[in-house]
Amino acid sequence: ATRRGDNVIPYDIEISWNGDINCDIDYIAIDDSLSDKIFNGSLNSRMDDLAVIFKNDSVTNYKIWDEPFPENLPIVEFLNSYLQNKLNENKVGERKPMAFHWFYYSPDRFLSETRLKSLFSDIYPIGKQIPRNTEPDYLIAFQSLMDNDYITKLRSDIQSANRFNIPFISVVQTHSWSTQNELGKWNWELREPNAYEIKLMVNLSVCYGAKGIHYYMFTNPSEGIFKGTGLLVGNNHSNPLPYMIDSAGYNRWEILKNLNHKLAKIGDDLMKLKWNGAYSINKKELPVQNYISKVESYKDFPSIKDGNADTYIQLGEFKNESDNFDYFYIVNRRKMRGEKWIIVDRKSVV
């Protein structure tokens, strides 16, 4: 491990050599030119100005860094500590810093090195290789993506957030993304998720204990070497226009607006709940047999029932520690409009 001041920075360092060698290693320094400049005060005056702006009580959160690389994690902690000290000097009090985790490293490492008090995690699973819902093999490809990528990362996030006793905020993909190479060709890396896919990712996030949803992205990138879609038609901040009908023909704006209104109604209750686990019914992970006896989905209700492998339903288990009641959040993962029936049988228990 390396040490800067009182902070141990946990890097796994290996030294390789050829032939015989006889030497002592006094210390190992890991440096990053950008971090080095910041550690030496390049942003101090800017941070001082921000501390003055934050005297406005309406400013409660601030963003430090978007998706820092591993070598940037200590500097995120430095900037947060510097700014918070300035806020204390100005008698402003504590504010809530944000940086956005991405799965270039574990959320545990991100939280231990940045010491942030919330976990905003970027999970953008829908790449260009994922078929659209009108294309062959969509169901298998999309549900495999949810099982093997999205849900795996959600579970990692909430487990880390619980270990550090902080809230997990899910940053949900709403965007497509393309970059332009040196020859002027556009390479699409993320395809645009349709409204129902976004709705599913939001509900799965709640199922895995998210205490907030952050949609990315709001604006519509269309300048320079990047372009894509967001929740707005363009980048006109003075007159923002909703991106109403998505490329799949669904009314994205209305669907997400209605979803947000529903979450707002149960939001106070959700904030009181502790996440105890979540389960994939298609993997025969039916939990808490004392409460739920079966979960089924149907191709054509009531005559044609799905097999276990096709019962794409996620069930989140929660506990309200104030009243000791158990709560469940059930998500139909086959979420295209009018696609499936779900039946959940619960036992009559107090």
Side-chain angles (χ1 to χ4, degrees):
T2 59
R3 182 177 294 273
R4 179 183 279 112
D6 293 328
N7 298 330
V8 174
I9 304 170
Y11 288 101
D12 181 15
I13 299 172
E14 296 181 355
I15 300 174
S16 300
W17 65 89
N18 293 318
D20 297 329
I21 190 169
N22 183 13
C23 70
D24 294 326
I25 300 175
D26 295 324
Y27 68 93
I28 296 174
I30 298 177
D31 207 354
D32 161 70
S33 59
L34 179 60
S35 298
D36 186 64
K37 291 178 182 177
I38 296 175
F39 272 119
N40 285 287
S42 66
L43 287 182
N44 286 8
S45 61
R46 184 175 177 185
M47 302 296 277
D48 294 344
D49 291 339
L50 285 175
V52 174
I53 294 173
F54 288 161
K55 286 185 176 181
N56 184 336
D57 288 338
S58 65
V59 180
T60 58
N61 301 319
Y62 56 92
K63 179 180 177 181
I64 295 178
W65 208 292
D66 183 29
E67 297 184 341
F69 284 100
E71 63 269 21
N72 304 135
L73 295 178
I75 203 67
V76 172
E77 192 277 332
F78 171 80
L79 290 172
N80 177 38
S81 297
Y82 182 94
L83 182 53
Q84 189 57 56
N85 288 336
K86 285 296 178 179
L87 294 175
N88 292 337
E89 290 176 13
N90 293 340
K91 302 186 185 303
V92 174
E94 187 173 5
R95 291 293 186 263
K96 299 174 183 178
M98 298 180 295
F100 290 81
H101 167 259
W102 58 320
F103 275 85
Y104 196 81
Y105 40 77
S106 73
D108 271 4
R109 178 177 178 181
F110 175 80
L111 293 172
S112 66
E113 292 196 36
T114 62
R115 300 187 184 183
L116 293 170
K117 301 303 181 184
S118 58
L119 175 59
F120 283 74
S121 190
D122 296 348
I123 311 177
Y124 308 144
I126 303 179
K128 63 183 180 181
Q129 78 281 6
I130 303 302
R132 296 180 181 272
N133 62 295
T134 56
E135 297 175 341
D137 301 325
Y138 168 76
L139 178 64
I140 294 176
F142 185 80
Q143 296 299 342
S144 296
L145 179 73
M146 293 296 101
D147 278 327
N148 300 323
D149 184 278
Y150 197 66
I151 289 171
T152 299
K153 291 174 180 176
L154 288 175
R155 181 180 288 111
S156 179
D157 279 332
I158 186 59
Q159 289 174 342
S160 290
N162 284 350
R163 278 192 289 270
F164 284 80
N165 195 29
I166 62 170
F168 159 48
I169 313 298
S170 180
V171 184
V172 176
Q173 177 187 349
T174 70
H175 64 298
S176 60
W177 190 260
S178 180
T179 57
Q180 190 178 37
N181 64 21
E182 62 276 6
L183 300 177
K185 180 181 178 181
W186 291 98
N187 300 307
W188 289 98
E189 299 161 11
L190 299 176
R191 80 151 169 84
E192 179 185 309
N194 69 51
Y196 288 100
E197 291 169 339
I198 298 171
K199 184 178 180 180
L200 172 60
M201 289 187 286
V202 170
N203 278 312
L204 284 175
S205 298
V206 176
C207 188
Y208 279 81
K211 296 300 185 183
I213 300 297
H214 184 102
Y215 292 107
Y216 188 84
M217 60 176 15
F218 196 66
T219 57
N220 188 335
S222 59
E223 298 178 358
I225 62 171
F226 303 108
K227 71 177 180 179
T229 57
L231 291 180
L232 297 180
V233 173
N235 284 326
N236 188 348
H237 297 286
S238 61
N239 184 28
L241 299 175
Y243 180 29
M244 297 297 294
I245 307 301
D246 63 25
S247 60
Y250 301 123
N251 193 326
R252 171 192 284 207
W253 191 264
E254 287 299 316
I255 290 170
L256 296 183
K257 183 178 72 173
N258 292 336
L259 171 63
N260 292 338
H261 287 170
K262 290 178 180 178
L263 291 177
K265 289 180 180 179
I266 62 174
D268 289 343
D269 292 323
L270 288 173
M271 296 300 289
K272 299 173 185 176
L273 302 181
K274 180 181 179 181
W275 183 82
N276 282 343
Y279 309 89
S280 299
I281 304 304
N282 62 306
K283 295 183 178 180
K284 299 183 180 180
E285 296 176 348
L286 183 62
V288 288
Q289 295 287 347
N290 288 336
Y291 303 97
I292 294 176
S293 58
K294 67 178 180 179
V295 180
E296 299 175 345
S297 68
Y298 288 80
K299 293 182 176 68
D300 184 11
F301 182 80
S303 57
I304 306 177
K305 187 177 76 170
D306 286 324
N308 288 331
D310 295 325
T311 306
Y312 293 111
I313 298 170
Q314 215 71 14
L315 188 149
E317 182 185 4
F318 299 83
K319 172 77 74 174
N320 188 330
E321 295 182 334
S322 62
D323 59 20
N324 206 37
F325 283 0
D326 292 318
Y327 290 77
F328 305 98
Y329 197 87
I330 298 173
V331 180
N332 177 9
R333 286 168 47 184
R334 294 179 67 164
K335 200 52 184 163
M336 291 302 103
R337 183 168 46 196
E339 184 177 28
K340 303 300 290 183
W341 279 74
I342 290 180
I343 292 180
V344 179
D345 280 357
R346 62 183 180 86
K347 298 180 179 180
S348 298
V349 295
V350 177

